[in-house]
């Protein structure tokens, strides 16, 4: 047995921290890319009974490598049940059956609203992004939402240019007013640390930093005046098991995936 | 009853300038060969509908076939952006591209309404997002029993749906298995349909997880082995992930794209 | 995750006086044994929901378990009428039975809305019939895009859905094949569910045409071989057509029915 | 080969006449009982490419005997496709894809409205009938509707006690006003003869009598002042092939079926 190299990248720390947030027995609606990496890592470490749901129609997928796309054949082949795309959204997501929606973001703001539509003006965008996909209803209907995204000033902005998926709305109070069934984003995991919404205002607050990251570095990568929790935690470094499992998953896949 | 014809003939008969087309496939079974046949036959002014426009729509847009895109997620899955789509939206090249965008849930329900002969569908969706502000086909509706406000979206009823499937029999019954996406709904929502298949067989032996589209619900069947490449056809071929990556480079610049079209499609 | 328990335990835990129950099955896979267990446990004041109430509902009604029936077609299929149902509606015996009746299309869509977490469903239905005049759960709704008038029906969300299926694995995943009816929708629309199965197996080997209800969408699984008798379970048993005919004589008079219940169920 | 007994019952004449109305290549939404007998007879005689659709979920069923119920196993086992009950109604019936809806009736009136709900007052019925089933939407959405029913004054009434399924409405003019997609009942086949709606008024008119039946007998079995077409036809008697096929079907079934 070779010894695991315990040196890890910030992306590895992010995936490990995101995976840890998933609890055993949960059902998780998984976006491709970083969320899928984290969810599959969780299933292979502490959460063997995690039910992975992919929007292409796989309920309870058990891939032995990372899927390369949202409709990778391995998802259907290993699933408990394969259903049509309308059924995924109507029978499984919409009624609030799914515990955790696991999303990425191109922009994320102070109130955890997500933009994956455009940078700039909608009518004449600076950058046209892929669009909504399943995210608006995942964000609305899952019991809670985890967001995993690399942190930078370009991504973490005061106000998203476009609300593709609602976190807590433009002023943090929309969710209750809209009667959205799920609790919304309860956790944001980045390559630098961990944020959670303030219980009162729903503003994202830094509640944890990864080992070797100081608060100043996180604030520099955040486009608003980031509040820091009084009991700021430091994320435990990835364990050998976590790193080995993550690296094996990625090796089995052959290539890293990005949405 | 479906007619079994060549792909060229099916496109020639069914697809006209100005039509609304849905080439559906959710990563699996994408009708790429049919899309390229449309480029080859130089159809213009098309309204293209798809939940997940990927590289075949990038090709149709870059080749100047499209006037409008109705969609919910447009990207090169597992790789990144669609450069031809971006160039059309951001710079109007080779022609301006009108976009009408929804969420997956909204698009799926629009197909369901279309397949069901209903003018609209109801869903819990869009609330609080900026989508209703930019997409006029999202409205509110009130539940007549509870008074709750929900989202309403209009049915999609394309002129032609185009899908790829594993098999058809000689009578034109179509069999699809694996991740079946929204293909049945797209076909049933559309006035006409073209189904390319890996093979035409004497008999459709049962396969676990398979659905069958009866011949009388399909217009044309065309045998096009590998017609989903670079996507995959479960039981027949694997996804060509390298092609998706290569597409990023081919499509990034207008001239490399154009030489690719001349070389690979317009031949 | 579903718990694998005995039928008696499942009914004891899940079914309470006053509950709304849907025992679904469309000729195939009717959960008859479960219905008789409910009679045995003497549940009262139930609202019974089913598209096609047949002899197991006749038994529940005759045994005095039901207060209300929500349905679209009540009969002894292939034979004739349900005498206990008729006696309850026409003469209030053994108790008055409130009826709320729809068409199949309406009932199916009510389950779909229930399974989808929507408060109502839209359909083209009921127009010109006398049903809206006697059923308050049929309303009109206007399409916000076309102005067309359509029918709206409220979601069904029973307290408990009860179905019969061919198999489950030890984790409680349920596999159903053949005519699958509206059973998936009934289970997903309900707060809790009981699935009786022909057998509990180590592994659900794939079967063409099968659907799977994942364990986490089911509350209880109970192994009850022959639990659909006299209906059938494709791959396990044939329909007992003689029983349906015999039921006509048994159920025609109150005393023959009552002695049947004492003899065959309450033992 | 034994010679066919060409003596036939009125029920046999009815089934044969109803079967003849179905044309090859049509799709037919089939009710159980008399409609199913006629449809299966048609498929085994002149209409081999008849697509039979049963509401339990069988599209293109090809039973080699008469199904004993609407969900008889033989329907699913022989079908081109098996779908869920919601799908039958939403994706197949509702959009108007089906050519012919083939229905029975407990009461039928002058304007071909069908009652299968109650005889007498709804709140205190003399006879509680099975109810609507699939019929209201079959009657509304199929391109046309055929009704097959035994004729008597009890069944053929001036006004049905309850409109379960619309023919042409209480005064014969409702169908257009309601915007129903299908043309409505274009043919009624009984054990005595054949009726079709008048082109102007939609009133059912006797257009044919079966061999040996005179008009007076039909009028006696009709609860309204039945009009008779000037060019009244006499139905050709069942052929040897028709009778043999029908009897073989029923023999294979073992028992006759009634809804």
């Amino acid at each position: 047995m070779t010894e695991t190299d315990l040196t890890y990248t910030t992306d590895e720390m992010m995936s490990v921290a995101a995976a840890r947030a998933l609890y055993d027995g949960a059902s998780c609606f998984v976006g491709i890319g970083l969320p899928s990496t984290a969810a599959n890592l969780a299933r292979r470490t502490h959460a063997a009974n995690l039910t992975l749901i992919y929007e292409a129609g796989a309920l309870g997928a058990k891939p032995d490598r990372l899927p390369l796309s949202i409709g990778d054949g391995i998802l259907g082949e290993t699933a408990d049940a394969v259903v049509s795309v309308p059924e995924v959204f109507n029978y499984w997501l919409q009624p609030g059956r799914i515990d955790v929606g696991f999303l990425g973001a191109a922009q994320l703001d102070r109130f955890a609203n997500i933009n994956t539509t455009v940078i700039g003006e909608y009518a004449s965008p600076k950058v046209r992004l892929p669009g909504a996909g399943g995210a608006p209803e995942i964000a609305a209907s899952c019991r809670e939402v985890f967001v995993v995204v690399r942190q930078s000033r370009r991504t973490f902005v005061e106000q998203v240019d476009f609300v593709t998926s609602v976190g807590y709305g433009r002023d943090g109070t929309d969710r209750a007013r809209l009667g959205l069934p799920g609790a919304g984003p309860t956790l944001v995991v980045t390559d630098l640390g961990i944020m959670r919404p303030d219980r009162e205002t729903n503003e994202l607050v830094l509640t944890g930093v990864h080992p070797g990251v100081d608060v100043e570095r996180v604030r520099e990568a955040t486009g608003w005046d980031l509040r820091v929790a009084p009991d700021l935690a430091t994320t435990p470094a990835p364990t050998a098991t976590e790193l080995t499992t993550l690296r094996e998953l990625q090796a089995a896949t052959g290539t890293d995936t990005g949405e | 009853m479906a007619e079994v014809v060549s792909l060229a003939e099916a496109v020639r008969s069914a697809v006209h300038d100005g039509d609304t087309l849905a080439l559906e496939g959710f990563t699996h079974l994408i009708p790429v060969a049919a899309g390229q046949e449309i480029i080859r036959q130089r159809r213009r002014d098309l309204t293209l509908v798809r939940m997940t426009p990927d590289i075949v729509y990038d090709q149709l847009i870059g080749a100047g076939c499209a006037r409008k895109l109705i969609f919910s997620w447009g990207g090169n899955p597992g790789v990144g952006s669609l450069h031809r789509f971006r160039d059309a939206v951001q710079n109007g090249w080779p022609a301006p591209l009108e976009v009408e965008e929804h969420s997956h849930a909204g698009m799926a329900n629009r197909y369901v309404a279309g397949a069901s002969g209903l003018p609209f569908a109801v869903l819990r969706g869009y609330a609080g997002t900026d989508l209703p502000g930019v997409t006029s086909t999202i409205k509110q509706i009130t539940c007549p029993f509870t008074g709750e406000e929900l989202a309403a979206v209009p049915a999609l009823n394309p002129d032609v749906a185009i899908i790829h499937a594993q098999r058809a029999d000689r009578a034109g019954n179509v069999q699809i298995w694996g991740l079946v996406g929204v293909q049945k709904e797209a076909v049933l929502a559309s006035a006409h349909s073209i189904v390319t298949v890996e093979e035409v067989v004497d008999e459709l032996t049962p396969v676990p997880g398979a659905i069958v589209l009866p011949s009388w619900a399909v217009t044309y069947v065309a045998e096009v082995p590998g017609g989903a490449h670079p996507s995959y056809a479960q039981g027949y071929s694997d996804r060509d992930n390298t092609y998706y990556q290569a597409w990023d480079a081919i499509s990034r610049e207008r001239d490399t794209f154009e030489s690719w079209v001349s070389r690979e499609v317009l031949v």
Side-chain angles (χ1 to χ4, degrees), chain A residues 55-56 68-73 84-85 89-90 94 122 126-128 130 132-134 137 162-164 166 170 178 258-259, chain B residues 26-27 71-74 78 86 90 99 101 103-105 109 112 123-130 134 179 181 232 241:
Chain A
E55 67 194 15
L68 285 171
S69 72
I70 203 76
D72 194 310
S84 73
V85 165
F89 285 100
N90 290 345
Q94 183 167 261
Y122 185 79
K126 265 194 288 197
V127 183
R128 173 67 233 197
E137 285 76 25
F162 191 96
V163 178
T164 312
V166 179
R170 289 287 185 194
L178 293 166
E259 186 148 4
Chain B
F26 210 94
T27 312
F71 77 112
S72 38
W73 190 88
R86 274 197 173 177
Q90 295 174 200
V99 299
E101 67 184 300
S103 65
H104 278 351
N109 277 292
V112 168
L123 71 153
R124 293 186 188 280
Y126 302 108
T129 76
D130 287 342
V134 300
L179 296 166
Y232 71 105
N241 295 304

Side-chain angles (χ1 to χ4, degrees), chain A residues 3-85:
Chain A
E3 212 168 300
T4 308
D5 180 0
L6 288 174
T7 326
Y8 55 89
T9 67
T10 52
D11 267 13
E12 285 176 330
M13 181 70 254
M14 172 169 60
S15 292
V16 166
R20 287 175 186 162
L22 288 168
Y23 49 97
D24 201 19
S27 52
C28 179
F29 204 109
V30 190
I32 213 68
L34 295 173
S36 180
T37 304
N40 279 288
L41 176 57
R43 206 179 62 78
R44 302 192 137 237
T45 50
H46 64 286
N49 296 306
L50 193 63
T51 299
L52 304 186
I53 293 144
Y54 286 84
E55 67 194 15
L59 308 180
K62 291 170 273 297
D64 57 5
R65 55 170 174 79
L66 297 175
L68 285 171
S69 72
I70 203 76
D72 194 310
I74 197 144
L75 299 175
E77 285 160 24
T78 61
D80 292 326
V82 173
V83 300
S84 73
V85 165

Side-chain angles (χ1 to χ4, degrees), chain B residues 157-177:
Chain B
N157 290 111
D159 296 303
V160 190
I162 305 180
I163 66 168
H164 187 75
Q166 278 96 343
R167 306 197 296 202
D169 64 19
R170 293 184 203 288
N173 298 294
V174 171
Q175 194 182 35
I176 315 175
W177 65 87

